[in-house]
Amino acid sequence: METNWRQTARFAFRQSLGVLFGYVFLGTAFGILLRQAGFGALWSLAFSGLVYAGSLQFVLAGFLAAPTALPTVALMSLFINARHLFYGLSFIERFRSMGKKRPYMIFSLTDETYSVLCGMDEVPAGVDKNGAMFLVALLDQLYWVAGSLLGIFAGGLPLDFTGIDFSMTALFLVIFLEQWRGAKSHLPALLGLCCAGVFLLVLGADNFLLPALCTTVAVLLLARPVLNREKEAA
């Protein structure tokens, strides 16, 4: 099937629109916090271009404001971003088939990009799927970079920015609801919610994420026969 670059680009842009509005706002929130910590546009570019880790960037802004030991920074980075190990498992074969684009796809796989890519199992005729996935990842990062730069300048305005750090939580909720509406089976989401709820109650908000993810993966692997039967029945 012959593919069309313009059609692929338009499709990728449409798929990324949800992330556009979220990332510009979230990036702006990060830029504001970075500005309040005493750092400027070059730091914002370095963070969003080379780190590009969403929630970790918010944490690192605090680390920079109050100098933190490198081992602590490394350990926190591992804990916060460990969830991406699980995300990447489902795209190993797809990224391997993308050739030179593979390193960037691995680097740019944020929560929101992962969510969009998961919804691209089928693409319209004439759209290059690998090309569309690459463009979605690239556009999402550009949105984040633009937002973080906007935040650097907005942070100098005499405005009250209380509560702006809640914006990332709000975006995760919207993405979850979109995935719930589009999913043929809600069982994986319910299992994940149960695991997250149990560990949240037991370990608290600061320590529940990694154990909850590990348990969710284990439970989903055990439930795989049931999930496969549901998929075939659908």
Side-chain angles (χ1 to χ4, degrees):
M1 179 178 64
E2 185 178 352
T3 58
N4 182 284
W5 175 250
R6 289 185 179 179
Q7 189 173 345
T8 298
R10 286 195 297 268
F11 173 78
F13 177 68
R14 289 196 299 269
Q15 294 299 306
S16 71
L17 279 176
V19 180
L20 164 62
F21 299 107
Y23 267 18
V24 168
F25 189 82
L26 285 171
T28 300
F30 167 70
I32 291 171
L33 293 176
L34 195 63
R35 171 69 179 264
Q36 292 176 344
F39 299 93
L42 290 178
W43 279 95
S44 177
L45 278 174
F47 266 82
S48 298
L50 301 176
V51 178
Y52 186 44
S55 54
L56 176 61
Q57 290 184 220
F58 283 82
V59 174
L60 290 181
F63 284 167
L64 283 174
T68 307
L70 286 178
T72 301
V73 174
L75 193 60
M76 284 296 297
S77 300
L78 175 62
F79 285 157
I80 292 173
N81 284 332
R83 65 189 186 279
H84 293 286
L85 297 174
F86 302 98
Y87 295 163
L89 291 175
S90 59
F91 281 109
I92 289 177
E93 295 303 322
R94 170 58 61 180
F95 288 172
R96 184 177 289 127
S97 71
M98 296 180 70
K100 294 181 180 180
K101 299 183 182 71
R102 179 186 178 191
Y104 181 74
M105 296 302 298
I106 295 172
F107 163 76
S108 61
L109 191 63
T110 62
D111 303 295
E112 293 76 20
T113 299
Y114 172 81
S115 179
V116 174
L117 296 184
C118 283
M120 290 174 56
D121 288 336
E122 297 181 5
V123 298
V127 171
D128 175 17
K129 184 175 181 178
N130 284 350
M133 291 176 67
F134 173 76
L135 287 175
V136 165
L138 179 61
L139 286 169
D140 287 353
Q141 184 174 12
L142 290 176
Y143 301 151
W144 182 271
V145 171
S148 65
L149 287 174
L150 180 61
I152 290 292
F153 298 106
L157 299 176
L159 300 173
D160 182 7
F161 295 109
T162 302
I164 197 170
D165 51 341
F166 182 75
S167 52
M168 180 164 286
T169 303
L171 179 59
F172 285 149
L173 180 60
V174 171
I175 289 174
F176 172 78
L177 292 175
E178 286 297 319
Q179 289 290 304
W180 178 275
R181 291 173 58 188
K184 295 180 179 178
S185 172
H186 293 152
L187 181 58
L190 291 173
L191 292 174
L193 285 172
C194 289
C195 292
V198 169
F199 281 97
L200 178 62
L201 291 173
V202 174
L203 301 178
D206 294 333
N207 303 306
F208 85 101
L209 184 57
L210 188 55
L213 284 171
C214 292
T215 304
T216 300
V217 170
V219 170
L220 289 176
L221 287 174
L222 292 173
R224 188 173 181 179
V226 177
L227 296 174
N228 286 339
R229 284 198 296 271
E230 281 197 2
K231 187 177 181 180
E232 291 172 359

